[in-house]
Amino acid sequence: MKAARLYEYDPAMNVQLSIEDVAPPTINAADEVVVKVGAAGLCRTDLHIIEGVWKDIMDVEGSLLPYIMGHENAGWVEDVGSNVKSVKPGDAVIVHPHRSCGICLNCRYGHDMYCDHGQFPGLGLDGGFAEYFLTNESSLIKLNTNVTPLDVAPMADAGITAYRAAKRAAGLVYPGAYVTVLGVGGLGHIAIQCLKHLCGARVIAVDREPGAQALARDLGADVVLDGGPDLIEQIKDITGGGSQVVIDFVGELGVENICWKLLRQGGELIVVGYGGQIEVPTVELVVNEIKIGGSLVGDYTELVELMELNADGLVKMHYTEYSLDNINAAIDDFKNRKFTGRGVIVP
Ligand SMILES: [Zn+2]
Ligand SMILES: [Zn+2]
């Protein structure tokens, strides 16, 4: 099968993925499923993998390369293990990115992302930038009729990650309160739509790119700002003292040390983007009682909920399509923010 493989980490990001013919995956366990990839979203995490940000976390020995990235996958069931009951070859599916075991205590509580035996195809083992990839039955959600894998593939990670953060924000606000979304890329544009359908708060979207600002307006953001040097003043003015919730989809490039300054007293920062380091004086935490926490992807049931919002036409993925042969061009365009929404790779 055709696949794009990463051969080396490169902090300067000049390395190209190699398009090759490799052996397709085969079923090794009774619960496994081979999925024929319909589409795979291109994620900032893929850029961070190439840069080597994940090397010390998952590839200390440096023995994982070469491998196939791609963790935002949807497609059709190709082959199933002997114990698989809920799907059959030909079914259209979206794939929760974490292969959770379903047996450990965390899984029993529904915390798929905390699974004691979880695996993440596309991070350290082969993923979906290929014609086929291997996962397990418990990660699959059948698509609603009339939904194609191409319509939804990035929902598998970009979508649920944004949904989980937006759902948490929705539980913290009331009509008239403000939620600020920093970064209107693949995740931010989903978060805006989710917030508009989950709660009555007003949404402030911040992005320096005019295309992203226009998309935010189209999707119903109440206020759109360009993230200039007076962002803190602007937000304090608009909100009368600060935002009740800030969702930071950037987490680096200096945004990580502006985001918490946008909160009002008692406000909460939800960190989703990563790469930088937050420095907050402890006195700020005390005097303003602000809360800071991260949000990690999302649970299987959250992906189910998001697919229902999508089926009802309430949350849609905006994407630009690239063929697998053009994946290096897609990565370049992503780095240079040449498209709005998500880049999606089609094998
Ligand atoms: Zn992702
Ligand atoms: Zn588990």
Short mmCIF file of all heavy atoms in Angstrom, two decimals, residues 81-118:
data_model
loop_
_atom_site.label_atom_id
_atom_site.label_comp_id
_atom_site.label_asym_id
_atom_site.label_seq_id
_atom_site.Cartn_x
_atom_site.Cartn_y
_atom_site.Cartn_z
N GLY A 81 -11.11 -8.77 13.14
CA GLY A 81 -10.67 -9.92 13.91
C GLY A 81 -11.86 -10.82 14.26
O GLY A 81 -13.02 -10.41 14.15
N SER A 82 -11.55 -12.03 14.74
CA SER A 82 -12.58 -13.05 14.91
C SER A 82 -13.63 -12.69 15.97
O SER A 82 -14.74 -13.22 15.96
CB SER A 82 -11.92 -14.38 15.29
OG SER A 82 -11.15 -14.20 16.46
N ASN A 83 -13.29 -11.76 16.88
CA ASN A 83 -14.23 -11.43 17.96
C ASN A 83 -15.01 -10.14 17.72
O ASN A 83 -15.77 -9.71 18.58
CB ASN A 83 -13.45 -11.33 19.27
CG ASN A 83 -14.27 -11.85 20.44
OD1 ASN A 83 -15.24 -12.58 20.23
ND2 ASN A 83 -13.91 -11.44 21.64
N VAL A 84 -14.78 -9.49 16.59
CA VAL A 84 -15.41 -8.19 16.33
C VAL A 84 -16.87 -8.39 15.95
O VAL A 84 -17.18 -9.16 15.04
CB VAL A 84 -14.65 -7.44 15.20
CG1 VAL A 84 -15.41 -6.18 14.79
CG2 VAL A 84 -13.24 -7.09 15.67
N LYS A 85 -17.77 -7.70 16.67
CA LYS A 85 -19.20 -7.91 16.45
C LYS A 85 -19.94 -6.67 15.97
O LYS A 85 -20.97 -6.74 15.34
CB LYS A 85 -19.85 -8.39 17.74
CG LYS A 85 -19.32 -9.74 18.21
CD LYS A 85 -20.09 -10.27 19.42
CE LYS A 85 -19.54 -11.61 19.86
NZ LYS A 85 -18.20 -11.50 20.50
N SER A 86 -19.43 -5.47 16.33
CA SER A 86 -20.24 -4.26 16.11
C SER A 86 -20.06 -3.63 14.74
O SER A 86 -20.83 -2.75 14.36
CB SER A 86 -19.92 -3.23 17.20
OG SER A 86 -18.55 -2.88 17.14
N VAL A 87 -19.03 -4.02 14.01
CA VAL A 87 -18.83 -3.49 12.65
C VAL A 87 -18.50 -4.64 11.71
O VAL A 87 -18.06 -5.71 12.15
CB VAL A 87 -17.69 -2.45 12.58
CG1 VAL A 87 -18.05 -1.18 13.35
CG2 VAL A 87 -16.37 -3.04 13.09
N LYS A 88 -18.71 -4.39 10.41
CA LYS A 88 -18.39 -5.41 9.40
C LYS A 88 -17.72 -4.72 8.21
O LYS A 88 -17.86 -3.49 8.05
CB LYS A 88 -19.66 -6.14 8.98
CG LYS A 88 -20.71 -5.24 8.39
CD LYS A 88 -21.96 -6.00 8.01
CE LYS A 88 -22.93 -5.14 7.21
NZ LYS A 88 -23.20 -3.79 7.75
N PRO A 89 -17.00 -5.46 7.38
CA PRO A 89 -16.35 -4.84 6.23
C PRO A 89 -17.34 -4.02 5.41
O PRO A 89 -18.47 -4.42 5.19
CB PRO A 89 -15.82 -6.05 5.44
CG PRO A 89 -15.53 -7.07 6.51
CD PRO A 89 -16.65 -6.89 7.52
N GLY A 90 -16.88 -2.82 5.02
CA GLY A 90 -17.72 -1.91 4.22
C GLY A 90 -18.35 -0.80 5.04
O GLY A 90 -18.73 0.23 4.49
N ASP A 91 -18.46 -1.00 6.37
CA ASP A 91 -19.06 0.06 7.21
C ASP A 91 -18.19 1.32 7.19
O ASP A 91 -16.96 1.24 7.33
CB ASP A 91 -19.18 -0.41 8.67
CG ASP A 91 -20.30 -1.40 8.88
OD1 ASP A 91 -21.15 -1.54 7.97
OD2 ASP A 91 -20.33 -2.03 9.97
N ALA A 92 -18.83 2.48 7.05
CA ALA A 92 -18.11 3.76 7.15
C ALA A 92 -17.97 4.12 8.63
O ALA A 92 -18.94 4.07 9.39
CB ALA A 92 -18.87 4.85 6.41
N VAL A 93 -16.76 4.47 9.03
CA VAL A 93 -16.48 4.71 10.46
C VAL A 93 -15.57 5.91 10.66
O VAL A 93 -14.78 6.27 9.78
CB VAL A 93 -15.78 3.48 11.11
CG1 VAL A 93 -16.73 2.30 11.23
CG2 VAL A 93 -14.52 3.09 10.34
N ILE A 94 -15.69 6.53 11.83
CA ILE A 94 -14.66 7.46 12.30
C ILE A 94 -13.97 6.77 13.46
O ILE A 94 -14.58 5.94 14.15
CB ILE A 94 -15.26 8.83 12.70
CG1 ILE A 94 -14.14 9.83 13.03
CG2 ILE A 94 -16.24 8.72 13.87
CD1 ILE A 94 -14.61 11.28 13.09
N VAL A 95 -12.69 7.08 13.66
CA VAL A 95 -11.86 6.31 14.58
C VAL A 95 -11.43 7.19 15.75
O VAL A 95 -10.69 8.16 15.55
CB VAL A 95 -10.61 5.77 13.85
CG1 VAL A 95 -9.85 4.82 14.76
CG2 VAL A 95 -11.01 5.09 12.54
N HIS A 96 -11.91 6.85 16.96
CA HIS A 96 -11.37 7.55 18.13
C HIS A 96 -9.86 7.31 18.16
O HIS A 96 -9.41 6.18 17.94
CB HIS A 96 -12.04 7.02 19.41
CG HIS A 96 -11.64 7.80 20.63
ND1 HIS A 96 -10.48 7.56 21.32
CD2 HIS A 96 -12.23 8.85 21.23
CE1 HIS A 96 -10.39 8.43 22.32
NE2 HIS A 96 -11.43 9.22 22.29
N PRO A 97 -9.06 8.39 18.41
CA PRO A 97 -7.62 8.23 18.19
C PRO A 97 -6.91 7.32 19.19
O PRO A 97 -5.80 6.85 18.92
CB PRO A 97 -7.09 9.67 18.30
CG PRO A 97 -8.10 10.38 19.12
CD PRO A 97 -9.42 9.76 18.80
N HIS A 98 -7.54 7.09 20.35
CA HIS A 98 -6.87 6.27 21.37
C HIS A 98 -7.44 4.87 21.33
O HIS A 98 -8.64 4.68 21.51
CB HIS A 98 -7.11 6.88 22.75
CG HIS A 98 -6.01 6.63 23.72
ND1 HIS A 98 -6.22 6.51 25.06
CD2 HIS A 98 -4.68 6.48 23.54
CE1 HIS A 98 -5.06 6.30 25.67
NE2 HIS A 98 -4.12 6.27 24.77
N ARG A 99 -6.58 3.89 21.10
CA ARG A 99 -7.03 2.49 21.18
C ARG A 99 -7.07 2.12 22.64
O ARG A 99 -6.08 1.71 23.21
CB ARG A 99 -6.03 1.58 20.47
CG ARG A 99 -6.19 1.48 18.98
CD ARG A 99 -5.16 0.54 18.38
NE ARG A 99 -5.25 -0.82 18.92
CZ ARG A 99 -4.70 -1.88 18.34
NH1 ARG A 99 -4.02 -1.74 17.22
NH2 ARG A 99 -4.82 -3.07 18.87
N SER A 100 -8.24 2.29 23.29
CA SER A 100 -8.31 1.98 24.71
C SER A 100 -8.73 0.52 24.88
O SER A 100 -9.29 -0.09 23.97
CB SER A 100 -9.30 2.92 25.41
OG SER A 100 -10.55 2.87 24.78
N CYS A 101 -8.45 -0.03 26.08
CA CYS A 101 -8.63 -1.48 26.26
C CYS A 101 -10.06 -1.84 26.63
O CYS A 101 -10.50 -2.96 26.39
CB CYS A 101 -7.65 -2.00 27.31
SG CYS A 101 -8.09 -1.58 29.01
N GLY A 102 -10.79 -0.90 27.25
CA GLY A 102 -12.17 -1.20 27.66
C GLY A 102 -12.27 -1.99 28.95
O GLY A 102 -13.38 -2.20 29.47
N ILE A 103 -11.16 -2.43 29.51
CA ILE A 103 -11.15 -3.33 30.66
C ILE A 103 -10.64 -2.66 31.94
O ILE A 103 -11.12 -2.94 33.03
CB ILE A 103 -10.24 -4.56 30.37
CG1 ILE A 103 -10.69 -5.28 29.09
CG2 ILE A 103 -10.22 -5.53 31.55
CD1 ILE A 103 -12.05 -5.89 29.16
N CYS A 104 -9.65 -1.78 31.81
CA CYS A 104 -9.03 -1.19 33.00
C CYS A 104 -10.04 -0.26 33.71
O CYS A 104 -11.07 0.12 33.13
CB CYS A 104 -7.75 -0.43 32.64
SG CYS A 104 -8.02 1.14 31.80
N LEU A 105 -9.73 0.11 34.94
CA LEU A 105 -10.68 0.91 35.73
C LEU A 105 -10.96 2.26 35.07
O LEU A 105 -12.10 2.73 35.06
CB LEU A 105 -10.14 1.08 37.15
CG LEU A 105 -11.13 1.65 38.18
CD1 LEU A 105 -12.40 0.79 38.25
CD2 LEU A 105 -10.48 1.76 39.54
N ASN A 106 -9.91 2.90 34.52
CA ASN A 106 -10.12 4.19 33.85
C ASN A 106 -11.10 4.04 32.68
O ASN A 106 -11.97 4.89 32.48
CB ASN A 106 -8.79 4.76 33.35
CG ASN A 106 -7.97 5.35 34.49
OD1 ASN A 106 -8.52 6.03 35.35
ND2 ASN A 106 -6.67 5.08 34.49
N CYS A 107 -10.95 2.97 31.92
CA CYS A 107 -11.88 2.72 30.81
C CYS A 107 -13.30 2.53 31.34
O CYS A 107 -14.27 3.03 30.78
CB CYS A 107 -11.45 1.50 30.01
SG CYS A 107 -10.17 1.85 28.79
N ARG A 108 -13.42 1.78 32.44
CA ARG A 108 -14.76 1.52 33.01
C ARG A 108 -15.44 2.81 33.44
O ARG A 108 -16.65 2.93 33.38
CB ARG A 108 -14.66 0.59 34.21
CG ARG A 108 -13.93 -0.71 33.94
CD ARG A 108 -14.87 -1.79 33.51
NE ARG A 108 -14.12 -3.03 33.28
CZ ARG A 108 -14.68 -4.16 32.89
NH1 ARG A 108 -15.99 -4.23 32.70
NH2 ARG A 108 -13.94 -5.23 32.68
N TYR A 109 -14.62 3.79 33.88
CA TYR A 109 -15.18 5.09 34.24
C TYR A 109 -15.46 5.95 33.01
O TYR A 109 -15.99 7.05 33.14
CB TYR A 109 -14.23 5.85 35.19
CG TYR A 109 -14.38 5.46 36.64
CD1 TYR A 109 -13.36 4.81 37.33
CD2 TYR A 109 -15.56 5.76 37.33
CE1 TYR A 109 -13.50 4.46 38.67
CE2 TYR A 109 -15.70 5.41 38.67
CZ TYR A 109 -14.67 4.77 39.33
OH TYR A 109 -14.81 4.44 40.65
N GLY A 110 -15.06 5.48 31.85
CA GLY A 110 -15.30 6.24 30.62
C GLY A 110 -14.17 7.18 30.27
O GLY A 110 -14.29 7.98 29.34
N HIS A 111 -13.05 7.11 31.01
CA HIS A 111 -11.90 7.99 30.73
C HIS A 111 -10.99 7.30 29.71
O HIS A 111 -9.91 6.81 30.04
CB HIS A 111 -11.11 8.30 32.01
CG HIS A 111 -11.92 8.94 33.09
ND1 HIS A 111 -12.78 9.99 32.85
CD2 HIS A 111 -12.01 8.68 34.43
CE1 HIS A 111 -13.36 10.37 33.99
NE2 HIS A 111 -12.92 9.57 34.95
N ASP A 112 -11.43 7.29 28.46
CA ASP A 112 -10.66 6.57 27.43
C ASP A 112 -9.22 7.07 27.32
O ASP A 112 -8.31 6.30 27.05
CB ASP A 112 -11.34 6.73 26.07
CG ASP A 112 -12.74 6.18 26.08
OD1 ASP A 112 -12.88 4.97 25.90
OD2 ASP A 112 -13.69 6.95 26.30
N MET A 113 -9.06 8.38 27.53
CA MET A 113 -7.71 8.95 27.35
C MET A 113 -6.76 8.54 28.48
O MET A 113 -5.56 8.71 28.35
CB MET A 113 -7.78 10.48 27.25
CG MET A 113 -8.49 10.99 26.02
SD MET A 113 -7.83 10.32 24.47
CE MET A 113 -6.12 10.82 24.58
N TYR A 114 -7.32 8.05 29.61
CA TYR A 114 -6.46 7.64 30.73
C TYR A 114 -6.21 6.13 30.73
O TYR A 114 -5.65 5.60 31.68
CB TYR A 114 -7.10 8.01 32.07
CG TYR A 114 -7.43 9.47 32.31
CD1 TYR A 114 -8.28 9.83 33.35
CD2 TYR A 114 -6.87 10.47 31.54
CE1 TYR A 114 -8.58 11.16 33.60
CE2 TYR A 114 -7.17 11.81 31.79
CZ TYR A 114 -8.02 12.15 32.81
OH TYR A 114 -8.32 13.47 33.06
N CYS A 115 -6.65 5.45 29.69
CA CYS A 115 -6.53 3.98 29.66
C CYS A 115 -5.12 3.52 30.01
O CYS A 115 -4.13 4.03 29.50
CB CYS A 115 -6.91 3.47 28.26
SG CYS A 115 -6.62 1.70 28.07
N ASP A 116 -5.04 2.51 30.90
CA ASP A 116 -3.74 2.00 31.35
C ASP A 116 -2.96 1.32 30.22
O ASP A 116 -1.75 1.16 30.31
CB ASP A 116 -3.93 0.98 32.48
CG ASP A 116 -4.51 1.61 33.72
OD1 ASP A 116 -4.47 2.85 33.83
OD2 ASP A 116 -5.03 0.87 34.60
N HIS A 117 -3.68 0.88 29.20
CA HIS A 117 -3.01 0.12 28.12
C HIS A 117 -3.26 0.78 26.76
O HIS A 117 -3.23 0.11 25.74
CB HIS A 117 -3.53 -1.32 28.09
CG HIS A 117 -3.53 -1.96 29.45
ND1 HIS A 117 -2.38 -2.37 30.08
CD2 HIS A 117 -4.55 -2.22 30.32
CE1 HIS A 117 -2.69 -2.85 31.27
NE2 HIS A 117 -4.00 -2.78 31.45
N GLY A 118 -3.54 2.08 26.77
CA GLY A 118 -3.92 2.76 25.53
C GLY A 118 -2.77 2.86 24.53
O GLY A 118 -1.60 2.93 24.89
#
